[in-house]
């Protein structure tokens, strides 16, 4: 059987072209993934201009012409909405946990069946906050050193990381210049989950618990 040169070249070239196209597509997808891995999906800045109107997101909106609340989205309200959206888990790792407003959201999430774990710094932990969380069955662990556990991040449902300068503190809510970025990259989320788990295991040793019991019994 005679095969023409054009047919032969076509038979040989087609698989090669397909392979090249596949490699180019794969490389393009990897570049896009790397780009997405370092791109925050949203950024919040604090302090807010004021309190967001509680009717802002209702189906009717606010109809009061004399309303004193802000009628544009505010960062604190957005943060609260994200925390309230958790359905599976909340890993809270904060240098300071002192805001009753945010603590109440954590407690409510736990009551809804969300798995809540908290890590904080033992030098700045308010005893009343500690009792409030533990009385609701929420486990909170602390670092054991004389240095600072200075992380500030939350992992929501193993899908999103909130991180930045923002603390769950009273100053963080109202007066300080702070920021939070929200990242959905699975690579970054996995890295934060590993860091959280490493600290969780480290701070859960018997030696640490004894130190904390002595400290908070004073």
């Amino acid at each position: 059987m005679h095969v023409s040169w054009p047919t032969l070249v076509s038979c040989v070239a087609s698989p090669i072209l397909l392979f090249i196209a596949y490699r180019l597509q794969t490389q393009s997808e990897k570049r896009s993934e790397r780009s997405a891995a370092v791109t925050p999906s949203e950024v919040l800045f604090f302090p807010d201009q004021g309190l967001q109107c509680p009717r802002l997101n209702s189906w009717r909106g606010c109809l009061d012409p004399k309303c004193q609340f802000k009628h544009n989205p505010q960062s604190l309200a957005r943060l609260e909405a994200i925390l309230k959206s958790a359905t599976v888990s909340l890993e809270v790792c904060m240098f300071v946990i002192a805001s009753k407003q945010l603590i109440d959201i954590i407690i409510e999430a736990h009551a809804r069946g969300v798995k809540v774990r908290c890590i904080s710094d033992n030098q700045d932990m308010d005893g009343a906050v500690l009792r409030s969380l533990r009385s609701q069955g929420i486990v909170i662990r602390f670092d054991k050193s004389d240095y600072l556990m200075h992380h500030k991040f939350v992992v929501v449902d193993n899908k999103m990381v909130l991180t930045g300068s923002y603390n769950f503190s009273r100053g963080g809510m109202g007066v300080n210049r702070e920021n939070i970025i929200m990242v959905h990259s699975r690579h970054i989320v996995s890295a934060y989950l590993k860091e959280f788990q490493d600290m969780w295991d480290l701070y859960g040793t018997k030696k640490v618990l004894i130190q904390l019991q002595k400290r908070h019994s004073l």
Side-chain angles (χ1 to χ4, degrees):
M1 181 178 67
H2 176 71
V3 180
S4 65
W5 274 106
T7 301
L8 182 61
V9 170
S10 176
C11 291
V12 173
S14 294
I16 295 175
L17 291 174
L18 287 172
F19 176 74
I20 292 173
Y22 169 76
R23 289 297 301 273
L24 290 174
Q25 177 66 23
T26 302
Q27 291 173 2
S28 175
E29 290 174 354
K30 288 182 178 179
R31 283 195 298 270
S32 297
E33 187 172 299
R34 285 195 296 268
S35 176
V38 296
T39 303
S41 60
E42 192 173 346
V43 181
L44 302 177
F45 292 103
F46 299 83
D48 284 330
Q49 299 172 357
L51 293 177
Q52 179 175 307
C53 176
R55 296 185 292 270
L56 180 64
N57 295 321
S58 67
W59 69 276
R60 294 182 62 188
C62 179
L63 303 178
D64 182 359
K66 297 182 179 180
C67 180
Q68 299 299 308
F69 292 105
K70 296 296 180 179
H71 292 85
N72 57 313
Q74 300 294 304
S75 294
L76 179 59
R78 177 63 178 141
L79 172 61
E80 291 176 347
I82 293 170
L83 295 176
K84 289 177 180 179
S85 73
T87 59
V88 178
S89 60
L90 278 175
E91 268 78 33
V92 179
C93 184
M94 284 284 158
F95 173 59
V96 176
I97 302 177
S99 163
K100 184 179 185 306
Q101 200 166 335
L102 297 178
I103 290 169
D104 286 345
I105 293 175
I106 294 173
I107 292 173
E108 289 169 5
H110 175 72
R112 288 188 284 109
V114 176
K115 179 182 178 182
V116 177
R117 297 189 295 173
C118 298
I119 293 176
S120 189
D121 184 74
N122 63 338
Q123 298 182 37
D124 285 273
M125 191 63 194
D126 187 319
V129 171
L130 175 64
R131 289 189 294 273
S132 175
L133 291 170
R134 286 185 169 170
S135 68
Q136 300 299 319
I138 296 174
V139 180
I140 181 167
R141 294 181 179 178
F142 306 89
D143 69 303
K144 63 179 181 179
S145 71
D146 293 329
Y147 303 101
L148 300 179
M149 194 303 297
H150 211 238
H151 282 319
K152 305 172 190 71
F153 68 85
V154 180
V155 183
V156 182
D157 287 345
N158 301 320
K159 295 179 180 179
M160 178 199 306
V161 171
L162 311 177
T163 188
S165 66
Y166 188 88
N167 260 313
F168 281 14
S169 64
R170 299 174 186 88
M173 288 181 61
V175 294
N176 295 344
R177 289 285 180 181
E178 307 281 3
N179 70 84
I180 295 175
I181 63 171
M182 285 164 274
V183 183
H184 294 272
S185 163
R186 68 176 184 273
H187 302 294
I188 293 180
V189 171
S190 295
Y192 273 91
L193 283 172
K194 182 181 184 304
E195 174 68 3
F196 188 96
Q197 189 62 49
D198 288 346
M199 289 190 295
W200 187 259
D201 294 339
L202 176 64
Y203 301 157
T205 62
K206 185 176 181 181
K207 180 179 179 181
V208 178
L209 294 176
I210 291 173
Q211 290 177 344
L212 288 172
Q213 288 170 358
K214 289 181 178 179
R215 183 182 182 88
H216 290 287
S217 65
L218 297 178

